[in-house]
Amino acid sequence: MADISLDQLAAEITRVVREYTEDVSEAVEKKVDEVADKVLAEVTVSAPKRTGGYAKGFKVTKQDGGDKTRRVIWNKKDYRRVHLLEFGHAKRGGGRVKAYPHLRPAYDKHAEELTDDIKRIIQNGGGT
């Protein structure tokens, strides 16, 4: 049996846990970026197009903080219009304008697989 001090053992355990945590967080961030790009691509395809400018305005923004990895997909140019098109709205003289859901369906399609992928990353110690 090897003669290892308690301090050396504690230092080695700490190093291994830190390495595992870094590997997992890097893999999760990479997977979140990948899914955000898929959602962005689908949104630009499925967004309503009259002139095409609205669909081109969608961007992905990183909002990482603390222990959270977050990506926000938003329309840089027509950010006010997204809600109106996604859910429809009341007309000025009465009645409603038809909704054109494009952002939520893309999110729902790809977010479901993200949860399973993150569980797999954690189980594999950062590998996919």
Side-chain angles (χ1 to χ4, degrees):
M1 216 156 159
D3 196 19
I4 299 174
S5 73
L6 195 56
D7 290 337
Q8 289 174 332
L9 180 62
E12 185 63 20
I13 290 172
T14 303
R15 184 190 66 77
V16 170
V17 169
R18 186 177 298 125
E19 186 177 304
Y20 168 82
T21 304
E22 289 171 1
D23 290 347
V24 167
S25 53
E26 286 175 13
V28 167
E29 186 172 345
K30 184 177 177 182
K31 183 53 79 173
V32 169
D33 285 336
E34 198 176 292
V35 170
D37 291 339
K38 287 180 184 179
V39 172
L40 179 66
E42 189 164 327
V43 167
T44 56
V45 169
S46 64
K49 293 173 185 64
R50 193 180 321 168
T51 63
Y54 172 74
K56 291 178 186 175
F58 283 98
K59 306 291 180 211
V60 175
T61 302
K62 289 184 178 185
Q63 290 187 345
D64 296 339
D67 59 346
K68 293 185 180 180
T69 301
R70 181 182 298 174
R71 302 296 176 263
V72 176
I73 298 171
W74 61 293
N75 195 305
K76 187 173 183 177
K77 183 180 174 195
D78 297 314
Y79 57 91
R80 293 179 200 94
R81 192 176 300 169
V82 175
H83 181 81
L84 298 174
L85 288 171
E86 185 77 18
F87 300 107
H89 57 89
K91 288 183 179 180
R92 189 172 182 184
R96 290 201 55 84
V97 173
K98 179 184 170 195
Y100 295 98
H102 52 286
L103 193 56
R104 178 54 82 173
Y107 170 79
D108 288 342
K109 179 180 176 182
H110 296 289
E112 183 178 313
E113 60 192 51
L114 179 62
T115 306
D116 296 333
D117 290 341
I118 289 175
K119 286 178 185 176
R120 193 170 21 262
I121 288 169
I122 292 170
Q123 290 172 349
N124 296 335
T128 52

